[in-house]
Amino acid sequence: ALYQGQAQLATAHLWDRETDRYNLPFATKMLPGMAVQVYHIVNRSIGIYTAPGNPKNIHSIDDFARADVRMVNREKGSGIRVLTDSLFLEHQIPVTQVQGYEQVAPSHMAAAEAVARGEADCAFGNARSVLGSKDVEFLPVKYEQYDLFVPEYHLGNPVVQRVISVLQSDAMRLETEALGGYDVTDMGRRLL
């Protein structure tokens, strides 16, 4: 949407397998020739959802390929789906060997609920979505970076300036930290 001029700003949490970095590699890959500024929002823990007690003994992406394990996936284009597909590629796991790969949940909560209801044995998601849940266990895998992209030609827009100002405020940092599950260190810091 940014590249096509349909948005004034956008958030991203996309992992780049080639650099093992979040978001910044995509500034040039997805926005070629566009001058953008990138501001850090939060970091959050990403991992595997399982049933309580982890009855299938799932500990890594490699376990998703076992014949006795069924996953629920996320929609194409989501940060979690990019991470999941990249991990399958990195571990040389053909998605045709993954039970439930085509079963898609539209959110972290929906994926967690599918695991809680026994419709899937595992899914990838963020820790915040299952914070305090007794129905889903969370196994951390990666720390995800969540950032805000702003095309430089929109920086003069008062609404864009207000968003950046709020992101850099102590009030936003304190309110986000109070939610739990987010690391607000460097919130609002310009990365690019």
Side-chain angles (χ1 to χ4, degrees):
L2 284 181
Y3 189 65
Q4 295 174 359
Q6 298 170 342
Q8 295 173 331
L9 37 87
T11 59
H13 53 101
L14 297 171
W15 179 62
D16 181 55
R17 183 176 68 87
E18 295 168 5
T19 62
D20 192 24
R21 295 183 66 202
Y22 272 89
N23 305 327
L24 294 181
F26 293 96
T28 54
K29 288 180 181 183
M30 296 182 76
L31 304 170
M34 182 181 285
V36 295
Q37 291 186 5
V38 180
Y39 295 86
H40 182 60
I41 302 175
V42 294
N43 289 322
R44 60 187 183 177
S45 187
I46 297 298
I48 301 169
Y49 299 154
T50 70
N54 194 1
K56 296 272 180 123
N57 201 27
I58 299 165
H59 294 286
S60 75
I61 192 75
D62 296 315
D63 294 318
F64 283 51
R66 291 184 357 221
D68 67 324
V69 171
R70 180 172 182 80
M71 77 170 293
V72 61
N73 212 343
R74 289 294 308 282
E75 72 279 7
K76 289 181 179 179
S78 70
I80 289 295
R81 179 66 174 259
V82 170
L83 174 64
T84 305
D85 286 346
S86 295
L87 289 172
F88 285 144
L89 186 62
E90 185 175 274
H91 288 248
Q92 299 177 349
I93 299 170
V95 296
T96 55
Q97 291 182 2
V98 180
Q99 302 296 317
Y101 178 81
E102 297 299 330
Q103 180 183 346
V104 175
S107 68
H108 294 282
M109 291 297 293
E113 289 168 3
V115 171
R117 289 190 304 266
E119 296 167 4
D121 301 306
C122 58
F124 266 97
N126 69 47
R128 172 74 181 100
S129 294
V130 294
L131 196 63
S133 172
K134 291 178 176 45
D135 299 323
V136 178
E137 196 164 301
F138 179 79
L139 305 152
V141 171
K142 196 164 220 28
Y143 219 45
E144 177 183 67
Q145 182 176 322
Y146 204 73
D147 297 320
L148 176 71
F149 281 63
V150 183
E152 287 186 354
Y153 61 85
H154 285 304
L155 287 172
N157 182 312
V159 173
V160 171
Q161 283 301 310
R162 182 70 180 138
V163 169
I164 293 169
S165 176
V166 168
L167 182 61
Q168 294 174 332
S169 72
D170 288 337
M172 180 69 170
R173 185 175 294 109
L174 290 171
E175 285 191 36
T176 304
E177 189 172 41
L179 292 172
Y182 298 111
D183 175 357
V184 298
T185 305
D186 294 327
M187 179 183 264
R189 183 170 67 90
R190 184 176 167 192
L191 304 175
L192 179 67

